[in-house]
Structure formats: C-alpha cells, structure tokens
Amino acid sequence: MRIPIVAGNWKMNKTVEEARSLAFELSRKLREIEGVEKVLCPPFPALLAVSALLQGTDIGLGAQNLHWEEKGAFTGEVAPNMVAEFCKYVIIGHSERRAYFGETDETVNKKVRAALVHDLTPIICVGESLDENESGRTGEVVRRQISLGLADVNPAKAAGLVIAYEPVWAIGTGRASSGENANAVLADHIRPALADLFGAETAQAIRIQYGGSVTGANAVEFFGQPEIDGALVGGASLKVDDFVAITQAAAK
Ligand code: PGA
C-alpha cells in the first residue's frame, strides 16, 4: 500500500520570522495526524530555522529546487549536499521553474539524479499547459516529461520517487482539475510511463500526487481516487486550517 504524501510548496513567500511562526502553528496541528507523510517546503533562507522547529516531529522538510553540480562557480545556486544538510525532500521541475527559469526535461533529469545521489526524495512535477490540454496532448506531454526527466535513474531507487501531476492551467487559478480527470491521467499515462522505465511492480510503488488549486474543500475528491497518493499544495499550504484539512483528508 502506498502511504499518501502531502507537501506544502510555500513558493517565494515568508521571511524567516514568518516561516518560523507558520511552521510552528502547522506543526502543532499536523503532528497529531497519522497515516500520511507530511512535508513543508519553505524558501531556502528559512530552511535552517524551520528544520530546527521540526526536530522531533514526524514532519519532513523539503527545498523547492537544487543545482545538480556538487560545488563550484555557480553563482546563486544551491548544491545537493547543502539541501541534504537540512532536507529530506526536494521539489524538482515545478512548472514555474520550467516557465520562468528555463528548466527543461534535461535539467530536471540532472537534478533528479543528483538528488538521489544525496538520498533526497525528489518530488518531480509534470503537467500540461492549457493549450496542450485543449489540443488533446496531455498524455503525450506527461509521458515525455516522465521518460526524459527520469532517464537513467537508478532503478534500485526509483520506488522512492514522488511524482506530482500538476496541470499548469490549474496552478494558482482556483480552477482545479476534477478528481476523475486527474486520476485518468495518472492511470492512463503517468503510471504506464513509469512502468516502461522501471517495470510494473516499481511503478505501483511510486507515489503520485495531484497538484493545482487543492483546498481544504476539494481535497476529499482527489484522495478518493485510487491512483492519487496525496497532494502538492501551493496557495492553501500558507493557510493553517486549509493545509491541516487537506492533510487530514489524505490520511489513511
Ligand atoms: P496551487 O499551487 O495549490 O496554489 O495551485 C500548486 C503548486 O504550484 O504546486
């Protein structure tokens, strides 16, 4: 059985002080919820403070990005071992990074492999744009993102990957996909693409989240679907009650 995983992507929000206070409020309520893996992903400057706060809880910490090189002259970048000092998880290939910062399936692939070397759990984002969706190319797009993004990943580590299916048109728009539609993309395209790479058994073990305008109100619809193993949450992860409700809805 796959244990559901709910991760909060705080994006570029919260100073260190604000992050500390949000993480404190969240941890008080989240620590009581069992049967779901819980992850907070604050911005880089807040990782140290939030990691101290989460010590001794079962709430994991994640970064929102990393660079694939080990060290060196890469101004402004953060190396995998620096992320691994504080974090167990790292979000890779979010559609905002693909759209605004030039990430490609190839850079996603380098980042995923670098993360695994450092025993980080990558949360790899895939998903189609509105245009791709409307022209019936959803399957083709997510299959390409999976096959190129996860090429040459060590099969022994593949079962530990987390995929986030996030249709770009649903992110931050308040226009979530339906549970049924999202489930169909996972069943028809994402899990089969994972099976092509790693075999059916490993593909069954890999957790696939849904992301895109998930709220406390619509979470149940997604988690009732057989293929959906949790959520990657943006806007609602900054609201304590909403994020707690989403986490509760995911708990098995
Ligand atoms: P949203 O963002 O929940 O605000 O739509 C999701 C994401 O970008 O991961």
Side-chain angles (χ1 to χ4, degrees):
M1 201 185 77
R2 300 184 296 261
I3 298 175
I5 172 165
V6 172
N9 173 11
W10 294 6
K11 307 193 180 183
M12 197 174 73
N13 295 290
K14 305 294 172 188
T15 63
V16 175
E17 270 322 297
E18 290 165 350
R20 211 195 295 268
S21 122
L22 177 59
F24 178 74
E25 289 304 317
L26 283 170
S27 72
R28 280 190 354 187
K29 298 191 173 170
L30 291 177
R31 65 206 308 171
E32 289 158 19
I33 308 174
E34 290 177 356
V36 52
E37 219 166 290
K38 302 155 274 191
V39 185
L40 307 183
C41 304
F44 280 120
L47 288 177
L48 174 59
V50 174
S51 90
L53 243 154
L54 298 181
Q55 285 292 326
T57 75
D58 63 349
I59 304 163
L61 188 64
Q64 299 172 18
N65 185 26
L66 85 179
H67 192 62
W68 58 85
E69 293 287 350
E70 291 288 317
K71 62 174 168 179
F74 301 99
T75 301
E77 294 294 326
V78 178
N81 69 333
M82 300 172 188
V83 171
E85 269 190 295
F86 305 112
C87 297
K88 181 164 179 275
Y89 304 84
V90 59
I91 299 170
I92 296 177
H94 190 280
S95 64
E96 286 150 17
R97 296 217 50 89
R98 293 179 192 252
Y100 309 140
F101 303 103
E103 294 218 6
T104 62
D105 293 326
E106 287 69 32
T107 60
V108 167
N109 182 248
K110 289 180 182 181
K111 292 180 179 198
V112 171
R113 289 187 290 137
L116 290 173
V117 168
H118 291 270
D119 289 324
L120 288 158
T121 296
I123 299 175
I124 303 128
C125 304
V126 299
E128 81 286 2
S129 67
L130 183 60
D131 179 49
E132 290 161 342
N133 179 282
E134 286 176 344
S135 55
R137 286 185 287 142
T138 298
E140 170 203 322
V141 169
V142 298
R143 280 175 180 267
R144 186 205 71 226
Q145 290 171 331
I146 294 283
S147 70
L148 298 180
L150 302 185
D152 300 321
V153 160
N154 179 353
K157 294 195 168 178
L161 300 172
V162 176
I163 310 294
Y165 168 56
E166 301 203 304
V168 178
W169 46 269
I171 296 177
T173 57
R175 191 185 150 201
S177 176
S178 73
E180 214 171 302
N181 279 341
N183 191 71
V185 175
L186 272 52
D188 298 346
H189 302 295
I190 297 183
R191 220 174 282 285
L194 293 168
D196 286 347
L197 286 173
F198 307 118
E201 200 180 320
T202 300
Q204 278 305 320
I206 296 175
R207 286 159 316 159
I208 311 178
Q209 302 169 309
Y210 168 77
S213 297
V214 176
T215 64
N218 67 16
V220 173
E221 176 185 346
F222 294 104
F223 303 148
Q225 298 290 335
E227 296 290 343
I228 299 178
D229 307 311
L232 182 57
V233 185
S237 73
L238 300 169
K239 300 177 193 150
V240 174
D241 290 346
D242 246 359
F243 193 66
V244 169
I246 294 167
T247 308
Q248 248 150 4
K252 286 215 166 113

